[in-house]
């Protein structure tokens, strides 16, 4: 009997040790897996998750190559590795979708709200709701028409009016260089989204230059909503008019509409870049290729890469630092020769972000 008890005790002791050892192993494994599990705990919202800065971003939509590059830039900058928890919403170019997203960010109690307003007006209520919720607001890219600068901490983006002026000045230099300034010069314009700051201000800047010349007539001007399909459709309609042959220049508020217009011009049997001078804003690879191929003449750059700037400004705010109220992107103008110097578009295609 004693032997049996001793055996049982030995067995219990042996299993106990094993268990303990396993425990030890487990603890060592655990310490290995606990490191792993610690790590996995941290990434699945352990104590450290509170350190992530939660940012709600309401994007205009996905209407153009520029917008896609802008979205990519924001998503690549506001990563968990960078200390952010990004809640991203695609507005599908509809203000009501953006307003719903902004209100949802307020309800979620995000740390920051950032957005690019698809149009300038109609935001007053939600901007005040964000202020009342005491959530810092950062405007990215487009702007609103609300003059109360206390409603947002900072804005970053492009000087759209300046882009329009640059386009206008380039067109005048082109027309003078080609000897086309004698007599009436008919211009067609593809406007961006009606009510969008980028469209309103580019149109105003361009018109400010054209109005200085009594022989210049912006005879055709209609919105292509910043999309290739709509740009092609509207250009087709322009080309069907009985005075279409008079059109010497097309100013498109973005590359995508210009690309649609080039398709329409070729289908109508005319040569884009020769019969009709083509100038657009943005500066993606496709438009640079059109310049290289002689189907377009000039691009006024509009920089979509705003993600790093957004991440930097939030980090500064977190550190209690002062930030500028407005930050403008550095931008250039590219053509095969002329105003921007003898820049060969081909040399820049690989540098382009999109
Ligand atoms: C400009 C941006 C415009 C681009 C278009 O900053 O808001 O919207 O020029 C885009 O390509 O659709």
């Amino acid at each position: 009997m004693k032997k049996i008890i001793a055996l049982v005790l030995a067995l219990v002791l042996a299993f106990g040790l094993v268990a303990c050892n396993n425990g030890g192993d487990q603890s060592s494994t655990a310490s290995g897996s606990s490191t792993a599990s610690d790590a996995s705990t941290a990434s699945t919202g352990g104590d450290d998750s509170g350190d992530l800065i939660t940012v709600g971003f309401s994007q205009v939509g996905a209407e153009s190559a520029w917008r896609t590059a802008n979205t990519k830039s924001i998503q690549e900058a506001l990563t968990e590795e960078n200390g952010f928890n990004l809640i991203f919403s695609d507005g599908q170019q509809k203000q009501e979708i953006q307003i719903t997203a902004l209100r949802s960010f307020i309800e979620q109690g995000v740390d920051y709200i950032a957005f690019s307003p698809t149009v300038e007006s109609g935001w007053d209520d939600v901007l005040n709701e964000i202020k009342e919720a005491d959530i810092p607001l950062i405007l990215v890219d487009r702007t609103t028409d609300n003059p109360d600068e206390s409603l947002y901490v900072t804005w970053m983006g492009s000087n759209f009016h300046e882009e329009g002026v640059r386009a206008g000045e380039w067109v005048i230099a082109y027309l003078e260089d080609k000897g086309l300034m004698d007599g009436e010069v008919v211009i067609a314009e593809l406007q961006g989204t009606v009510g969008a700051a980028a469209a309103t201000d580019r149109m105003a800047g361009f018109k400010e230059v054209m109005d200085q010349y009594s022989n210049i007539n912006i005879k055709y001007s209609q919105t292509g909503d910043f999309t290739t399909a709509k740009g092609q459709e509207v250009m087709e309609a322009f080309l069907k008019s009985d005075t279409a042959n008079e059109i010497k220049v097309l100013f498109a508020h973005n590359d995508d509409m210009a690309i649609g217009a080039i398709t329409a011009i070729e289908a109508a049997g005319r040569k884009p870049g020769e019969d009709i001078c083509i100038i657009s804003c943005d500066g993606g690879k496709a438009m640079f290729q059109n310049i290289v191929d002689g189907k377009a003449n000039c691009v006024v750059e509009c920089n979509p890469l705003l993600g790093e700037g957004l991440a930097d400004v939030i980090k500064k705010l977190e550190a209690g630092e002062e930030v500028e109220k407005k930050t403008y992107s550095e931008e250039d103008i590219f053509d095969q020769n002329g105003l921007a110097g003898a820049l060969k578009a081909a040399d820049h295609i690989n540098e382009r972000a999109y």
Side-chain angles (χ1 to χ4, degrees), residues 47-83:
D47 302 338
D48 300 343
S49 67
D51 297 342
L52 292 179
I53 306 165
T54 298
V55 179
F57 190 95
S58 168
Q59 179 61 289
V60 165
E63 73 283 359
S64 64
W66 188 100
R67 188 65 54 197
T68 303
N70 178 249
T71 291
K72 184 166 177 278
S73 148
I74 288 158
Q75 290 176 332
E76 286 178 351
L78 274 68
T79 58
E80 251 190 61
E81 292 73 25
N82 247 354

Side-chain angles (χ1 to χ4, degrees), residues 25-43 48:
D25 283 351
Q26 276 170 8
S27 65
S28 62
T29 314
S31 64
S33 70
S34 71
T35 307
S37 67
D38 281 348
S40 65
T41 303
S43 71
D48 300 343

Side-chain angles (χ1 to χ4, degrees), residues 118 120 142 160-161 163-164 189-206 223-226 251 253-254 257:
T118 188
E120 288 185 281
R142 299 185 190 172
F160 305 127
H161 185 272
E163 291 171 349
E189 179 180 32
L190 288 172
Q191 302 167 21
T193 302
V194 175
T200 306
D201 295 351
R202 281 170 184 164
M203 186 152 67
F206 187 72
T223 182
D225 208 19
F226 282 132
F251 171 46
H253 290 182
N254 81 333
M257 294 189 293

Side-chain angles (χ1 to χ4, degrees), residues 96-143:
E96 60 272 19
I97 293 179
Q98 286 199 281
I99 289 175
T100 301
L102 294 171
R103 287 182 168 143
S104 139
F105 296 151
I106 294 172
E107 282 161 31
Q108 295 177 66
V110 297
D111 299 313
Y112 291 83
I113 291 177
F115 88 118
S116 178
T118 188
V119 292
E120 288 185 281
S121 56
W123 306 96
D124 298 352
D125 291 347
V126 73
L127 292 177
N128 282 295
E129 289 163 28
I130 293 169
K131 183 176 180 180
E132 282 150 26
D134 200 21
I135 298 174
L137 172 66
I138 298 168
L139 293 176
V140 177
D141 176 29
R142 299 185 190 172
T143 51

